[in-house]
Amino acid sequence: MAATRKIALDAFGGDHCPFVEVEAAVLAARAGQEVILVGDRARLVPQLALLGISRYDGEDGITVHHASETITMEDTPSKAVRSKPDASMVVCFDLVRRGQAAAVVSAGNSGAMLASGLFRFGRLKGIDRPAIVSSFPRPKGGPCVLIDMGANVDCKPINLVQFAVMGAIFSSTAHGKRPRVGVLSNGSEEGKGTDLTRAAHRLLAAHPSPAFSFHGYVEGKDFFKDTVDVIVTDGFTGNVALKVMEGTAGGIVGFLRAAVMQTARTKLGGLILRPAFRALGEQLDPDSYGGAPLLGVDGVAIICHGGAGPKALATGIRIAGDYAARDLTPALRTAIGDHRELFAAAKREESPA
């Protein structure tokens, strides 16, 4: 793939497209990131003009690349990717594959993003299933990584150990330190969990890695503690856990607001603590984290929430550029080679005696 800093943004993926995507592209371009806005040119150009962008040939940091089709949330992912080759999302992946963009960002159908990654990028050699990874904030220790966040509902031990390796490389690339990895379970004792988690725990404990230190099991109560830097689980559990965390964060903010408004004294205290509350709100704001990378495909793809606003999408564009510049994909490729013995042991675990 040719070296480029441009990020391909699917302009017709989100719930409020293309208005949100256009504004996000403008925000990113004004911050110095080149963006290829992919979608129906006739609808995109007037929106750019409303935001003061009169050039869309790259001069103002934005290039419009026409795509005549879209993939909706109602489409069957794999069928849509095959039957709509000129869909904005699919074209974004093609631009990266041809070296005209460094990464893809979309707030569209996450299943179609996974299918596009598999069909257009292909899996990294040695990876059985790609996974979605997400970071969330903690009071101490920096962000923690959760993998898988929803791509794989039913997993085997090989999947979890591969998630552990990919999550560790992502964490070290994004946060700059050798991470501690834990497997999510219902207790910290080795005998806890399911057949799946026990097998993953046994494999990771038996094969020490230079890329990470294996902590063992972690529980739900450990999410916001400085216990591990990467939490490994199947996509069903990971998606539920992430949504519980998002709901809890919103609930805490609501409880604080209600408590502050109870009396004149608490209102005064709220005024004094307003800077701290504002900082907390910014830290818990999902828009600050932009999107979730799809790991295990041969390229950088960021999946954003369908309801993401311009700030979240612009953040997704920024982190896509960061991960491409930091050579996340080559680092993953190297790590896969370094963990062949672990992966082979996991494969043997699945083979009938």
Side-chain angles (χ1 to χ4, degrees), residues 2-92:
T4 178
R5 291 186 64 252
K6 294 180 180 179
I7 304 301
L9 174 62
D10 175 10
F12 287 86
D15 296 346
H16 306 291
C17 65
F19 316 106
V20 170
E21 284 84 352
V22 171
E23 187 173 346
V26 172
L27 288 173
R30 287 174 177 165
Q33 175 63 63
E34 295 180 86
V35 180
I36 303 176
L37 201 54
V38 181
D40 184 354
R41 183 186 299 269
R43 294 183 62 188
L44 294 176
V45 170
Q47 292 299 318
L48 287 168
L50 289 174
L51 295 174
I53 303 297
S54 58
R55 299 284 299 272
Y56 39 91
D57 55 1
E59 188 68 24
D60 291 328
I62 295 176
T63 303
V64 172
H65 187 102
H66 181 68
S68 62
E69 299 175 297
T70 60
I71 293 177
T72 69
M73 293 298 180
E74 289 72 37
D75 282 330
T76 302
S78 58
K79 182 179 179 182
V81 172
R82 288 190 177 98
S83 64
K84 295 182 176 181
D86 203 41
S88 53
M89 180 189 293
V90 177
V91 172
C92 285

Side-chain angles (χ1 to χ4, degrees), residues 188-211:
S188 58
E189 301 84 3
E190 289 188 23
K192 292 285 189 177
T194 63
D195 289 343
L196 172 65
T197 61
R198 286 192 292 272
H201 185 290
R202 184 169 58 252
L203 288 159
L204 291 167
H207 296 82
S209 168

Side-chain angles (χ1 to χ4, degrees), residues 93-118:
F93 280 86
D94 286 338
L95 289 171
V96 176
R97 191 173 60 171
R98 293 198 298 265
Q100 295 173 255
V104 177
V105 176
S106 177
N109 186 317
S110 58
M113 282 288 284
L114 176 59
S116 295
L118 289 171

Side-chain angles (χ1 to χ4, degrees), residues 11 67 72 94 124 151 161 190 193 215 238 242-243 266 271 330:
T72 69
D94 286 338
L124 286 171
V161 299
E190 289 188 23
H215 171 82
L242 187 72
K243 289 177 178 175
T266 57
L271 287 173

Side-chain angles (χ1 to χ4, degrees), residues 127-143:
I127 292 297
D128 288 45
R129 294 187 188 178
I132 301 172
V133 62
S134 181
S135 296
F136 58 90
R138 297 179 295 183
K140 295 181 180 179

